[in-house]
Structures are given as C-alpha cells and as structure tokens.
Amino acid sequence: MTAAHTAGQFTFDKHGLKIVDMKCGIPDIAVRPAGVGASQAVSDATESEPTADTVSLGAVWSSLPELAGLPLHGTKYTPAAEFMASNYPSVKDTEDWQTATTATEFLQATVWVNEDMPSLPDRRAWARDFLTRYPVLEGGDLWGDEDDVFVEIRPGRFSAELCWPAPKDGMRSSEIAAHFDTSAPVYRFNEHRHLRPAFEPGRTPPTPLMPWWLLLYSFSMLARYQPPQVDRGPRHRQVPRRSRLGILPGRRP
C-alpha cells in the first residue's frame, strides 16, 4: 500500500521507531520516533499526522475505535467513543443553556460510551467532564433533561445526546458533515464516526493505521526482547492471553 502511494522508488532500512523502556507495565511502555524509516514512510504515504514525540502504548491503544471496549488494565487515557451526528440542525429552547448564546439552531449528536451510566443527580457533572475529555467538543451541552437524553444499552454501556450552537442557521447536511469531519471523522463505514483522542497534546490524532502500526511494532519488540511481558505472568506461570495484555476481565479481543 505504501509503495503504491509513494512517488519514485519505495525503500527503507529501519523501523523509524524505538521503545524507550520495555520493563514497565504495558500501558506505560513508551515508543518514540527514531530517525526516518518505515513508520515515517507509511505516515507520509497515508497523509497521516506523524508521531513527533514519545507516546505510551496505553494512549495509543485507547485512541483506536476497535479497542474502545477492551481497555488495558490500569490505563488512564481517554478512549475513542462512537459518535453519530444528526444530518439536520435542530431548534432548542436556550433558557437552560449553560453559557450565553444567540444561536437559534443547534447541531445534535449521540455518543455511545463504554462506562456505567451515571445516576440521575450526577449526569450533568458527567457531561461537563466528558466534554472536557475531548477538546473538539468544547461549547457543547446535553440535548434536553438529564432523565431524557441518557439511555442504558446494557451494563457498562450507554448513550447520551449532546448538542452545540450551529455556526450558522440553515446548515445543509453536507455542511454539517464537513463541520464534524475534523472533530469526529468517519471511520470504516459511512456516517459511522468516532471521537478519537489525540495521544500527543495539541496534535490531531493520526489515521487509525498509524496507531495500529505503533502497537504491532511495540508488541513485536516486546515478544522478541522481553517475552515475559507478553508470554508469561508472575513467577513464569503461563497465563491466559487476555491477562498477558492486561485486558480487563470479561472482555475478549
């Protein structure tokens, strides 16, 4: 794929990455760029934001939509969240809006979160915290009352309806889609969007291919140089695969 999208002859002679310390817990293992190699070539060919500094595997793992339901044990990073925006602007009573606004129309979206649904008294506080976890959601609020916009799908997973003042009235569906393309890009399926946290402060998340590349490179290095990290548990006792990776019990990759 990279060769097909690279002008001229495609070649590289090193990974372009380096693991800083292999002996800490898997979520805290850090990987950083090292010169120019395969990682940089793939990043350029796919027009993805390149990794510029040291990042932890916990942050990389959490940024991938496919792994949102499989958190690493002990990770503290914000995970990707499913996001579906309405194709049309909505009208909302602004009396209870948290900040002053002159908007007459709003953009509405639903997010799906892999957490226990907060109790009714805690939902407003949860929403404020959730919006701060994803800076691209700044200025948002709940769409309606706390008892109406939260829906429990199953234990450990729920949805919430959010909204934002529309940048202008009368936005078309194509303009709304373009508005959310940066904050919640489409991933794999039409209109199937995800909020993807950046794992480097102040930078746009790379395309999902690059986090996968970082993870596969890191696990291949661990398997080669620190096999106890991925093959054996305490006292060299063989343990199930999900425990080797630190995936929370009850979850399966």
Side-chain angles (χ1 to χ4, degrees), residues 189-207:
F189 304 106
N190 288 339
E191 298 185 9
H192 195 184
R193 299 176 179 273
H194 282 83
L195 297 169
R196 294 187 56 238
F199 47 72
E200 292 183 276
R203 296 175 65 85
T204 302
T207 58

Side-chain angles (χ1 to χ4, degrees), residues 30-230:
V31 59
R32 62 173 175 80
V36 178
S39 177
Q40 290 74 24
V42 174
S43 179
D44 291 343
T46 57
E47 298 182 351
S48 175
E49 183 83 8
T51 303
D53 203 349
T54 301
V55 296
S56 72
L57 294 193
V60 175
W61 182 289
S62 297
S63 76
L64 286 164
E66 295 94 333
L67 302 179
L70 299 167
L72 291 177
H73 181 64
T75 189
K76 56 184 181 298
Y77 299 96
T78 298
E82 294 178 56
F83 181 98
M84 182 172 288
S86 173
N87 289 326
Y88 303 98
S90 303
V91 177
K92 176 181 173 65
D93 186 351
T94 60
E95 287 184 6
D96 297 325
W97 192 255
Q98 300 299 299
T99 57
T101 179
T102 58
T104 58
E105 294 183 352
F106 293 80
L107 304 183
Q108 185 182 359
T110 302
V111 294
W112 286 265
V113 184
N114 293 311
E115 300 176 12
D116 291 328
M117 189 169 75
S119 61
L120 185 59
D122 297 329
R123 291 177 185 174
R124 179 68 62 179
W126 176 90
R128 287 195 297 266
D129 176 69
F130 180 82
L131 291 166
T132 60
R133 292 187 230 167
Y134 305 88
V136 294
L137 301 184
E138 183 180 0
D141 200 356
L142 293 175
W143 175 261
D145 296 330
E146 291 91 326
D147 55 345
D148 294 329
V149 298
F150 286 78
V151 177
E152 185 176 49
I153 300 165
R154 55 173 168 77
R157 182 172 172 82
F158 69 94
S159 66
E161 293 181 70
L162 305 174
C163 63
W164 298 262
K168 65 177 184 178
D169 288 348
M171 291 182 71
R172 302 188 179 197
S173 58
S174 58
E175 293 177 304
I176 294 175
H179 176 80
F180 286 117
D181 277 345
T182 299
S183 57
V186 172
Y187 180 58
R188 297 188 66 181
F189 304 106
N190 288 339
E191 298 185 9
H192 195 184
R193 299 176 179 273
H194 282 83
L195 297 169
R196 294 187 56 238
F199 47 72
E200 292 183 276
R203 296 175 65 85
T204 302
T207 58
L209 176 63
M210 297 314 301
W212 277 116
W213 187 283
L214 287 170
L215 283 180
L216 294 174
Y217 162 79
S218 300
F219 284 129
S220 71
M221 292 296 102
L222 287 172
R224 181 175 182 181
Y225 297 110
Q226 291 288 333
Q229 280 279 60
V230 291

